[in-house]
Amino acid sequence: MLTVVKINGSPTQPSKTGILVDAVADAIAKVTPVENFSIALSNVGPEFMCGLTRPDISAKGEELLRLAESADILIIGTPVYRAAYTGILKHFFDLVDRDAMRDRKAVLCATGGTPLHGLVIEHQLRPLMGFFAIQTATTGLYGLSEDFANGAISSSALQSRVDRAAREAVTLVDHSKAIPELVQ
Ligand SMILES: Cc1cc2nc3c(=O)[nH]c(=O)nc-3n(C[C@H](O)[C@H](O)[C@H](O)COP(=O)(O)O)c2cc1C
């Protein structure tokens, strides 16, 4: 059973990013048994924002950071804010232990108001994952408003990318199990 932890960096609800992140979790659950956990920063953000360093955050925030640090697969989503990931998501990752997520797997998701900012995944989220030595699914997921309707993904193109990213993440886990000496 894989532990999947969804992290949604949107500070607001309802959240298109949350729909995308949930869709990835559903797609992963279709190919392998999982236990799902959710860290929606719109809800639990104050547990982290109440402190500038890790010793200063709340006990609940510390518990959630440990949960994220122990995930087999992270599904990380953010709305584009001012051409970047949200500040609250960056603060969350500023609190993560620099070695705790080494060789974890992640699917990267973002939503935005313009297609012009779709490369936020490649130029900002993926380098952040590189810092933590997190292995990312090759397929990044970027959704626009028109890709969502009635609380679900309405674009078949985006849904097929979701399914592909989910398979890639599970394959990364399987490869790590097959060659354990490559994973510390
Ligand atoms: C403060 C703020 C800044 C934003 N900046 C951008 C931006 O730079 N580029 C963009 O494409 N969309 C931008 N947007 C639009 C959001 O990224 C978009 O609506 C997103 O899907 C919201 O995600 P959510 O529903 O998960 O919160 C911005 C929205 C807000 C509220």
Side-chain angles (χ1 to χ4, degrees):
M1 172 98 57
L2 297 182
T3 302
V4 173
V5 177
K6 303 178 279 184
I7 304 170
N8 179 5
S10 174
T12 62
Q13 283 284 353
S15 164
K16 290 184 282 290
T17 311
I19 296 168
L20 185 53
V21 162
D22 286 346
V24 177
D26 290 346
I28 292 172
K30 281 186 186 143
V31 291
T32 193
V34 294
E35 193 174 11
N36 263 306
F37 298 92
S38 182
I39 301 176
L41 295 179
S42 60
N43 181 27
V44 294
E47 308 290 347
F48 308 100
M49 299 308 275
C50 61
L52 299 183
T53 64
R54 189 146 171 177
D56 301 328
I57 64 171
S58 72
K60 177 74 178 169
E62 175 63 29
E63 183 189 318
L64 292 171
L65 277 169
R66 288 185 188 197
L67 174 68
E69 288 170 346
S70 65
D72 294 307
I73 299 177
L74 295 155
I75 307 171
I76 299 163
T78 183
V80 182
Y81 270 20
R82 311 295 191 238
Y85 37 62
T86 59
I88 189 170
L89 183 71
K90 182 58 163 58
H91 183 57
F92 179 89
F93 276 98
D94 285 349
L95 297 169
V96 169
D97 181 275
R98 59 178 298 151
D99 296 314
M101 289 182 173
R102 173 170 292 279
D103 293 321
R104 308 283 173 196
K105 320 306 174 202
V107 177
L108 305 182
C109 311
T111 67
T114 166
L116 297 175
H117 283 157
L119 285 173
V120 69
I121 290 173
E122 304 305 331
H123 293 170
Q124 296 180 341
L125 277 178
R126 218 180 287 278
L128 181 62
M129 300 302 110
F131 172 85
F132 289 105
I134 294 169
Q135 298 174 13
T136 53
T138 312
T139 302
L141 303 169
Y142 187 69
L144 298 166
S145 293
E146 55 264 37
D147 296 322
F148 302 91
N150 304 317
I153 293 175
S154 56
S155 156
S156 56
L158 181 57
Q159 184 60 54
S160 63
R161 288 179 68 80
V162 164
D163 294 339
R164 192 164 81 202
R167 285 195 304 272
E168 288 168 357
V170 174
T171 302
L172 284 171
V173 174
D174 289 345
H175 284 178
S176 292
K177 282 188 199 144
I179 320 172
E181 65 272 20
L182 290 182
V183 180
Q184 292 179 349

